[in-house]
Amino acid sequence: MSTFTNRMKQSGLTALKEDERRRTQQRPPASPPPTLSTALPPIGPQIRPNGQLYHPRMLGNLEDLAFLRDARSHREHVLLVGPPGTGKTALSEAAFVRDTVPGLHTGLETIVGTADTDPADFLGTFVQDPATGVFEWVSGPLIRSIENDIPLLVDEIALIDPRALTVLYGLMDGRSELRVPMNPKLPPLKLGPNWFVIGACNPDLPGAHLSDALLSRFHHHAEVTTDWDLAADLGVPADLITVAKNLESRRLNETYEGWTPQLRDALAFSETTRRFGLELAVASLLRKCPAQDRSEFAEAMKDRFGQIPPLSLGSRIPAGRR
C-alpha cells in the first residue's frame, strides 16, 4: 500500500474519531434510572390466573401492583388506557391474584364491555332451568364482586353505552350499598372495604367514548404502553423491537398513524419464531396488521426482515407428500 494511501486512510480514521468525539460531547447525559419510592412496599412478580408471570413496572415512582392495591384500600377508582395488548388486564389480574379463593374467585371480577352491554349484564338476570322450567336468579359480575368483596374490572369500558354505566355511578360516588330493583327479594348489598372499580379501554378504538360523567368518577388515570426493555428480556427479537420503537417515534412526530405491534403481539411473534421460524412469524404478523395499515407497516418491516408476503393459504399439498 502506498504512503499516500496510508496517509489518506489515517486521515479518514482521525476524522471519524473527531466526529464521534463531537457527537459524544453534544449528546445529552443519560437520565438516571428511576428510583422506586419507599412510600408503598413493592409486591414483586406475580403469577396470573392463566399461569403467566407478570413483571411489575414503574407507575410514576411507585410499583404498579402496589399502587393498585393502595388505590383499592382508599376506594380510589383507576382508569387504565392504552392500545390492546399492552398489559392493562394483566396488571389488574396480577395486582389481586394473591387474594384468590380457590373455587370462588381469583381476587378480581371482570366484565368485558360491548356496545350491547346493559345493566342486566352487570347485575344479573332470571334464567329458566330447562329441566324444571323454573326461573332462577343468576347474579352478574357487579353483584358477585360486592358479595365477594373484590375489585370489579370493567374491560373495554369505553364501548359501553353511558346509560348502562349509571348502575356504577352511585357506588363510585360513595354510596355504600346496591339495591337491585329487578330482583326485590335481594336485600341491599353493602360494599366492603376491598371493593372498587378498575376501568380499562383503548380510547382510539372505533366507537369508543368516555363521557365526562364517567371520567370524573375515576380518581386516577394512567396510560399503559409496551415496555420494550421487558420485551427484550422475555426474548422478543431485537429487530422487531427496533421496528416497533421506530413506528412509535414516528407516531410521536406525527409522521405515522398506523398500527404498531404491542407486547402481546411481540410475545406471539417470538413464540411463532421459536416454533416455526422467522419467515412464518413475520408473515403472520403482517397478516395480523389491519388491512388499511398493512402496506406502510410492511415497508417498515422490510428494512429489518426483507420482503415477506402476509400469511395466506397456498396450493394443495400433493397426495404423495402428505
Side-chain angles (χ1 to χ4, degrees):
M1 188 179 292
S2 67
T3 303
F4 174 80
T5 303
N6 283 332
R7 285 202 306 269
M8 291 297 294
K9 181 179 179 181
Q10 186 60 42
S11 176
L13 290 173
T14 301
L16 285 173
K17 291 179 180 178
E18 178 62 21
D19 181 64
E20 177 61 21
R21 184 187 65 79
R22 285 197 302 269
R23 285 191 288 119
T24 301
Q25 289 177 343
Q26 294 170 358
R27 192 178 299 143
S31 301
T35 302
L36 191 64
S37 171
T38 58
L40 295 176
I43 307 300
Q46 298 290 308
I47 298 177
R48 294 170 56 200
N50 64 2
Q52 293 181 348
L53 183 65
Y54 182 84
H55 300 265
R57 298 173 59 182
M58 298 290 290
L59 185 61
N61 64 344
L62 302 168
E63 185 201 69
D64 54 357
L65 300 180
F67 177 83
L68 274 189
R69 292 184 70 87
D70 182 76
R72 177 187 64 174
S73 67
H74 294 88
R75 194 167 293 160
E76 295 175 348
H77 312 293
V78 178
L79 179 64
L80 305 174
V81 300
T86 52
K88 300 181 293 295
T89 302
L91 163 59
S92 304
E93 292 178 347
F96 304 105
V97 69
R98 58 165 53 183
D99 304 320
T100 294
V101 176
L104 187 60
H105 62 75
T106 58
L108 181 76
E109 192 67 54
T110 301
I111 177 172
V112 180
T114 69
D116 297 321
T117 299
D118 61 23
D121 293 312
F122 282 94
L123 296 169
T125 188
F126 285 97
V127 177
Q128 187 176 28
D129 186 326
T132 64
V134 176
F135 283 86
E136 298 179 350
W137 175 259
V138 177
S139 295
L142 173 57
I143 288 182
R144 293 196 301 268
S145 69
I146 296 174
E147 290 176 336
N148 293 317
D149 192 22
I150 56 176
L152 175 68
L153 168 63
V154 186
D155 209 353
E156 301 300 351
I157 192 171
L159 294 180
I160 302 175
D161 190 313
R163 291 170 294 184
L165 291 170
T166 57
V167 70
L168 295 176
Y169 286 179
L171 300 175
M172 295 177 72
D173 282 342
R175 190 180 303 163
S176 61
E177 65 179 30
L178 173 68
R179 296 178 181 271
V180 185
M182 60 187 67
N183 185 359
K185 291 185 178 180
L186 280 180
L189 300 172
K190 300 287 186 180
L191 296 186
N194 295 316
W195 187 89
F196 85 128
V197 176
I198 305 169
C201 69
N202 172 15
D204 298 325
L205 196 67
H209 174 68
L210 295 166
S211 68
D212 291 340
L214 175 64
L215 290 171
S216 67
R217 286 173 164 84
F218 285 102
H219 296 70
H220 305 288
H221 297 214
E223 182 181 20
V224 182
T225 58
T226 289
D227 180 353
W228 290 112
D229 290 336
L230 171 61
D233 291 342
L234 295 177
V236 174
D239 283 337
L240 181 63
I241 293 175
T242 298
V243 170
K245 284 184 171 181
N246 288 343
L247 292 176
E248 287 180 352
S249 295
R250 289 174 56 188
R251 184 185 300 278
L252 291 174
N253 293 328
E254 299 182 352
T255 59
Y256 179 74
E257 297 180 351
W259 183 76
T260 302
Q262 301 298 332
L263 183 59
R264 182 166 56 205
D265 311 305
L267 292 176
F269 180 93
S270 181
E271 177 65 11
T272 304
T273 300
R274 183 186 68 81
R275 292 167 56 195
F276 303 114
L278 185 62
E279 184 172 337
L280 191 139
V282 172
S284 179
L285 189 64
L286 289 172
R287 181 60 66 187
K288 187 175 189 178
C289 175
Q292 67 270 20
D293 301 324
R294 190 172 297 135
S295 177
E296 195 170 3
F297 178 67
E299 282 297 313
M301 290 286 285
K302 186 172 69 173
D303 291 340
R304 289 283 170 169
F305 299 102
Q307 186 74 45
I308 297 176
L311 189 62
S312 62
L313 286 176
S315 59
R316 183 183 65 177
I317 299 174
R321 297 175 60 185
R322 292 176 186 169

